[in-house]
Amino acid sequence: MKLSFDLDDLLIPGTKRFDVEPQGLFHRLLGTEPLRAGTVSLFRALRSEGHQIYIYTSSFRSPAKIRLNFLMHGLRLDGIYNKPIHDQKLKNYRLSCSKYPPMFNIDLHIDDSEGVRTEAERYHFNVLVIDENDKDWTTTVLRNIHHLSASFYF
Ligand SMILES: [Mg+2]
């Protein structure tokens, strides 16, 4: 499946706080942003299952910066959609929403925002909203993906 992950307050702490992956001296020197604890093992598991991993963020971070941040943790991304890319693409649709994964052929988007859940209900796309207090969030993600895969293929 083609999966996309939000950044702020899902994988990168902002207003929401959660444990992060260990950061070495190298990370601090390069000023990379911390990733939520569990991201590395989750992405590796998804990759081994053959899923494509994209970032879909409403931020203006450049794709190059985002790509480097994940590479610093040994993670390769299949692609990145930031706010300018989203805005440009959304012009082709008569919609007003902060995230619209179907226009990028994304099968499941994972986010922290209840607003995106509302958009998913209105515009009929698959979203999984993760709570900041979900200590076992990687299992929540994997379980939902397996559930959705089953409904896709069987
Ligand atoms: Mg967010």
Side-chain angles (χ1 to χ4, degrees):
M1 283 198 292
K2 182 170 177 176
L3 309 168
S4 63
F5 289 82
D6 174 44
L7 277 187
D8 289 300
D9 292 327
L10 177 72
L11 298 184
I12 295 175
T15 55
K16 296 178 181 173
R17 297 285 159 186
F18 34 72
D19 293 339
V20 296
E21 298 278 5
Q23 281 210 295
L25 180 63
F26 205 40
H27 291 110
R28 288 198 292 273
L29 285 174
L30 280 172
T32 56
E33 295 181 281
L35 293 180
R36 188 174 191 155
T39 303
V40 172
S41 64
L42 174 64
F43 278 24
R44 284 190 183 143
L46 294 174
R47 183 72 70 195
S48 74
E49 292 178 13
H51 298 293
Q52 294 176 280
I53 302 171
Y54 285 71
I55 296 299
Y56 189 178
T57 173
S58 297
S59 81
F60 288 86
R61 292 179 187 85
S62 74
K65 181 178 187 242
I66 294 169
R67 194 175 291 283
L68 177 66
N69 203 48
F70 282 83
L71 270 179
M72 291 295 298
H73 289 86
L75 301 174
R76 189 177 60 80
L77 298 172
D78 289 293
I80 292 147
Y81 307 119
N82 65 4
K83 171 93 169 130
I85 294 168
H86 162 91
D87 287 348
Q88 184 63 35
K89 185 84 173 169
L90 198 69
K91 286 179 184 169
N92 302 324
Y93 298 80
R94 302 173 88 180
L95 301 173
S96 170
C97 54
S98 68
K99 299 270 167 77
Y100 188 54
M103 69 183 178
F104 297 121
N105 296 313
I106 292 164
D107 298 305
L108 175 67
H109 175 67
I110 297 110
D111 210 291
D112 69 291
S113 164
E114 287 299 328
V116 174
R117 192 204 300 276
T118 304
E119 292 174 348
E121 287 165 5
R122 182 176 304 148
Y123 297 118
H124 311 291
F125 59 82
N126 293 316
V127 72
L128 170 63
V129 176
I130 296 291
D131 191 275
E132 66 189 293
N133 298 313
D134 185 349
K135 293 288 178 207
D136 208 12
W137 72 282
T138 61
T139 303
T140 305
V141 171
L142 287 168
R143 195 185 301 128
N144 270 267
I145 288 168
H146 295 159
H147 183 73
L148 197 60
S149 296
S151 70
F152 270 24
Y153 299 117
F154 297 105

